[in-house]
Amino acid sequence: MRSRGRRGRVIGDSRAAIRFLGAILWLAAHPALAAPNEAPLALRCAEFAGAVLPPELIALPTAGAQIESAAMIGATAPGNQQGGEYCRITGRIKGLTPTTPDIRFDLNLPRRWNGRALQIGGGGYNGVVVSGTGVMPFSPNRAPLAQGYATFGDDSGHVGDSSLAVFGLVDEAVVNFGYAHLKKTHDAVLALIARAYGRPPQRMYFAGGSTGGREGYTVMQRYPDDYDGVIANSPALNFSGVRLLGVKLGRAEYAAPGGFIPPLLLEHVYQRTLAVCDRLDGAADGIVSDVAACREHEAEIIESLRCAGRAPSHDDCLTDAQLSTLLVMRDGLSLPYKLAWDVTGYSGYNIFQGAHLTGMLGLGHQPERLPMPTFFANGYLFAQGDGYLRYFVARDASFDSLRFDPQHPGKYRAQLIALSQTIGAMNTDLTRYIERGGKLITLHGLADEVISPNQTIAYYDALVDRFGSDQVNGFMRLYMVPGFQHGSGAFIPSVDLLSALDNWVTHGASPETLTAVDIAAATNGRSRPLCRYPLFPRYSGKGNLNLASSFVCAEP
């Protein structure tokens, strides 16, 4: 028999009902936590400290969860910028084996609850607990917690900064990072929320970017009954693909003679692209908005950059070897074998359409490859790909990634395929999520230098091929942002996606063209329309270039 969940929704998995019964039995066995629901939140908050949640409350296998701390944070407490009291709970979810790191999580319960919960994703390789207390990235409004959302996040099941991949040596930790931490944390937190407020959330949302964007697509694909809406920005959907491309790029930079490109030359590439393409949208504003029109000039741009008989200089032309490095990134990766969900490669980047490769997340700044590559010295994509090969694929810290050919992985092929199933969100079967009425908003920068915007577009196109444009339009909004990189760029959008998502889910008000305010330091305050893909903002020919009202959303 199917049970009814939040808002009377039908939950098809009978295991949900079993877990709900388990929660009731757990509360019955803990009289302190079964106090009347009318008790003040402060009293209920303190009761959680030291509590143990049994494994039965979590759908995936664990050894249960331990609440480490639970305390009310006063409205006037130092560092509390939320505008009100909230209960802060910290805890750990135990792995099945002693060598598996705990999944550490934080949960914030506002005294004035709006009946909604928001799970927040991480970034890179995670490793740091997402506190859930701050403002969402690129959002102009108050923090979700201050708006009344119960917020929570975790560290995905290991400790370390977002560049460290050492946990790849531990099988259960890899599964946790790939997808399991999302479900385990969700289920543990849901029981705590239901106890604290006397009822489960009316709406459960997920929001994240980059790795957190991949996590957003992951929960729709793997746990569609658990979420009403998802914000998944700059999503690392094809996680294995981007890591393998990073290795191929590193080989071009550091294994091929003359392949390294100094930052001054990378800046020259960017400035040449702007000179040709900036005005194609009608506005000289430092943003390449008409990417399709710019792509028609690509051959011209490349030839103007080529040394072609001229003596190579450090800042005005590129050798064939250096151009080959850029073309690796532009062309992406094509594989002669299939990863999970029939993936055969990774889409290339908009190298000659506005991507800026001189920053911390761009290409390398040093001509020699370090024994342990770093983001700044050897480039973000290569450093991350190198770590992925060492710890996830070869499981050998001394492995030399420059000797590895992603197109011919040899004995590592089976491991690559298995990993792409565990860590990746390329499955286009969102049938259940769509049937339940789930909504999705994705924002991605067309100048992203870390996660290819063309991979996100390719996934969107695959959804249209599978479900048809009408059905995709009924549940998804895709906004591709000109000039926006991976958290930086010529245009950094600030827009309230959470309110747009909640209005769509709750009131059926589907978002169309939105207005984004630029928070880049040099151009802070100007605005542009945030156009639904495939439209882009074109200057109308009159009006202030700094105002969104002077632009229209145009067909490419």
Side-chain angles (χ1 to χ4, degrees):
M1 180 176 180
R2 288 156 57 144
S3 62
R4 294 203 171 265
R6 299 186 304 274
R7 293 184 288 129
R9 273 203 326 269
V10 175
I11 300 177
D13 189 349
S14 62
R15 290 174 296 180
I18 295 173
R19 290 193 298 277
F20 180 71
L21 177 60
I24 294 175
L25 295 175
W26 172 65
L27 290 171
H30 295 75
L33 293 179
N37 291 332
E38 292 77 14
L41 178 61
L43 176 61
R44 299 197 298 278
C45 181
E47 292 167 351
F48 284 113
V52 175
L53 281 66
E56 292 77 16
L57 288 181
I58 301 172
L60 299 180
T62 72
Q66 173 75 49
I67 305 303
E68 293 190 310
S69 67
M72 289 297 296
I73 306 299
T76 60
N80 181 6
Q81 301 177 5
Q82 309 312 317
E85 286 186 298
Y86 67 97
C87 171
R88 182 159 181 81
I89 297 174
T90 67
R92 295 175 179 263
I93 301 171
K94 300 293 183 178
L96 295 177
T97 61
T99 57
T100 301
D102 296 338
I103 300 171
R104 300 175 300 155
F105 68 88
D106 285 2
L107 168 64
N108 309 290
L109 303 170
R111 183 172 65 83
R112 296 178 179 176
W113 187 40
N114 65 7
R116 295 156 173 75
L118 175 67
Q119 184 173 5
I120 303 172
Y125 281 113
N126 290 337
V128 178
V129 179
V130 176
S131 71
T133 59
V135 175
M136 289 178 61
F138 317 120
S139 175
N141 286 350
R142 294 182 302 158
L145 176 60
Q147 298 177 53
Y149 284 86
T151 62
F152 61 101
D154 62 70
D155 65 358
S156 83
H158 63 276
V159 177
D161 68 46
S162 63
S163 67
L164 296 178
V166 179
F167 70 94
L169 298 172
V170 182
D171 288 341
E172 193 175 0
V174 171
V175 173
N176 281 338
F177 172 72
Y179 62 88
H181 76 102
L182 300 163
K183 179 62 173 172
K184 292 174 182 179
T185 302
H186 168 277
D187 287 0
V189 161
L190 191 62
L192 296 172
I193 292 175
R195 170 63 202 109
Y197 295 115
R199 66 187 191 277
Q202 294 175 305
R203 307 281 188 274
M204 177 67 77
Y205 298 139
F206 187 97
S210 195
T211 284
R214 170 183 63 81
E215 292 169 347
Y217 278 81
T218 295
V219 299
M220 290 187 295
Q221 295 166 16
R222 293 182 181 266
Y223 313 114
D225 287 315
D226 288 346
Y227 299 86
D228 301 292
V230 168
I231 298 169
N233 295 337
S234 310
L237 298 169
N238 187 353
F239 190 86
S240 292
V242 72
R243 294 293 174 257
L244 292 177
L245 178 60
V247 172
K248 185 178 180 181
L249 183 61
R251 283 163 58 91
E253 287 183 278
Y254 296 108
F260 174 77
I261 310 172
L264 279 175
L265 266 181
L266 291 173
E267 182 65 24
H268 181 59
V269 172
Y270 177 68
Q271 294 299 332
R272 178 59 185 156
T273 298
L274 284 182
V276 174
C277 297
D278 182 7
R279 293 175 174 83
L280 294 177
D281 63 346
D285 56 1
I287 302 171
V288 177
S289 291
D290 194 344
V291 169
C294 184
R295 191 165 284 124
E296 295 179 2
H297 293 269
E298 184 171 278
E300 164 197 337
I301 293 171
I302 291 174
E303 285 308 307
S304 71
L305 293 168
R306 192 187 303 273
C307 289
R310 290 179 284 161
S313 173
H314 67 285
D315 63 356
D316 68 353
C317 72
L318 282 78
T319 66
D320 287 344
Q322 291 169 331
L323 280 172
S324 292
T325 296
L326 291 182
L327 294 180
V328 165
M329 200 169 174
R330 182 203 67 179
D331 294 340
L333 181 68
S334 179
L335 300 173
Y337 55 93
K338 291 182 178 179
L339 300 175
W341 302 296
D342 293 328
V343 170
T344 57
Y346 190 79
S347 300
Y349 295 73
N350 295 329
I351 300 304
F352 304 105
Q353 292 84 40
H356 201 178
L357 303 178
T358 61
M360 179 62 71
L361 302 182
L363 295 184
H365 286 67
Q366 295 183 12
E368 294 83 25
R369 175 255 183 124
L370 299 181
M372 298 295 288
T374 66
F375 295 171
F376 182 81
N378 304 126
Y380 181 91
L381 288 175
F382 175 50
Q384 291 284 47
D386 177 84
Y388 186 66
L389 277 186
R390 291 175 190 264
Y391 300 108
F392 284 78
V393 180
R395 303 193 127 179
D396 175 1
S398 64
F399 188 81
D400 184 2
S401 61
L402 292 185
R403 299 173 63 87
F404 179 84
D405 182 357
Q407 293 174 300
H408 302 93
K411 65 180 182 179
Y412 300 111
R413 176 171 168 172
Q415 176 70 350
L416 283 173
I417 295 171
L419 284 169
S420 69
Q421 174 74 37
T422 301
I423 313 171
M426 290 295 286
N427 184 3
T428 58
D429 187 3
L430 298 180
T431 304
R432 175 61 179 166
Y433 188 73
I434 295 171
E435 289 176 347
R436 283 191 51 257
K439 306 301 182 186
L440 165 65
I441 296 177
T442 288
L443 178 152
H444 201 153
L446 283 164
D448 197 322
E449 75 278 40
V450 172
I451 304 300
S452 172
N454 298 311
Q455 183 67 77
T456 297
I457 291 171
Y459 183 88
Y460 172 85
D461 289 341
L463 287 178
V464 172
D465 289 343
R466 180 169 191 148
F467 296 105
S469 58
D470 288 345
Q471 195 165 12
V472 172
N473 288 337
F475 89 97
M476 181 179 184
R477 289 292 180 269
L478 176 59
Y479 298 97
M480 304 302 298
V481 187
F484 183 37
Q485 295 179 214
H486 204 75
S488 63
F491 186 91
I492 306 176
S494 177
V495 59
D496 187 5
L497 296 183
L498 183 57
S499 292
L501 179 70
D502 186 49
N503 285 334
W504 196 6
V505 170
T506 304
H507 305 295
S510 57
E512 299 300 331
T513 301
L514 303 176
T515 297
V517 176
D518 191 0
I519 57 174
T523 48
N524 188 282
R526 66 176 173 176
S527 60
R528 290 288 183 275
L530 202 60
C531 301
R532 288 182 55 189
Y533 177 79
L535 306 180
F536 72 93
R538 181 192 295 279
Y539 181 52
S540 66
K542 56 183 179 180
N544 190 332
L545 282 180
N546 291 323
L547 296 179
S549 58
S550 301
F551 291 76
V552 296
C553 289
E555 293 277 355

